[in-house]
Amino acid sequence: VHDVPLTWERGNQIPSWLQGSFIKNGPSQKKFDSEERYYSNYAGSWAKLNKITFAADGSTLFSGRMIETANYNRCVEHDKIMPSITAGPLKPNDWNALELVEGFLHLYDNTNVILWRLGPEDPEQATYIATTDYPLVNKIDPDSLAVTGSHRPPITDGISMSSCSHRT
């Protein structure tokens, strides 16, 4: 959904000084309709972006979109969970040996922990990235919430599972 107007039951108004957008990513979809298997924990489930925009005219809008990574799009295309590296087992039946091999070929691209804004103050010049513990980020268009690209450090730079994704 994109820019769906929100209304308040009590008719209260949002303060006029509150303007801009708040975007948060997090786990969302645990399965696809055509199969019984599902991710056993939310850390493995597919990520979604949710955005609330407080407009200058006093209106409040909601947008939401799944983070459409290459692996997520493969699942949508097949209407089922396709093998990739996951944070936990699938239930009721985990990956078989062949699916494990296929999963390692597709790696992990589910950036469901935090969204960062990097760069200049001007939102038009900034870069927005969705991250997790895995050394890959997905670049996000803050208006449409679409994935516009991704970045994975080259293996020649070394391998690290360290990140700044989680806040304490």
Side-chain angles (χ1 to χ4, degrees):
V1 297
H2 185 70
D3 286 345
V4 174
L6 298 178
T7 57
W8 313 109
E9 285 184 19
R10 296 183 184 185
N12 295 344
Q13 297 295 313
I14 299 297
S16 60
W17 54 262
L18 183 57
Q19 294 181 25
S21 293
F22 174 77
I23 306 172
K24 177 67 181 120
N25 56 334
S28 178
Q29 187 172 342
K30 289 181 77 171
K31 69 178 288 212
F32 285 81
D33 290 334
S34 68
E35 69 176 335
E36 292 182 16
R37 287 202 290 192
Y38 60 93
Y39 296 109
S40 63
N41 63 58
Y42 276 106
S45 65
W46 290 110
K48 183 178 180 183
L49 291 163
N50 294 292
K51 177 173 80 167
I52 297 176
T53 299
F54 302 99
D57 66 4
S59 63
T60 305
L61 308 169
F62 174 79
S63 297
R65 185 172 184 165
M66 299 301 290
I67 299 180
E68 297 165 342
T69 67
N71 282 329
Y72 177 78
N73 288 334
R74 279 180 42 243
C75 293
V76 169
E77 181 181 327
H78 291 88
D79 195 30
K80 67 178 188 173
I81 298 173
M82 297 299 291
S84 65
I85 296 174
T86 56
L90 270 62
K91 299 277 179 138
N93 303 309
D94 200 8
W95 305 120
N96 63 37
L98 186 57
E99 289 171 325
L100 281 172
V101 171
E102 183 181 346
F104 279 104
L105 293 174
H106 292 284
L107 298 174
Y108 182 88
D109 66 2
N110 189 19
T111 49
N112 60 3
V113 177
I114 198 163
L115 188 77
W116 292 98
R117 186 181 123 189
L118 308 173
E121 253 334 282
D122 178 0
E124 299 296 321
Q125 301 300 316
T127 299
Y128 297 80
I129 59 171
T131 69
T132 190
D133 292 341
Y134 194 74
L136 170 131
V137 299
N138 284 296
K139 297 175 185 175
I140 304 295
D141 173 359
D143 180 48
S144 68
L145 304 179
V147 172
T148 60
S150 64
H151 176 72
R152 185 185 321 267
I155 193 81
T156 54
D157 288 350
I159 297 175
S160 172
M161 292 302 284
S162 299
S163 76
C164 298
S165 291
H166 293 281
R167 293 183 177 179
T168 55

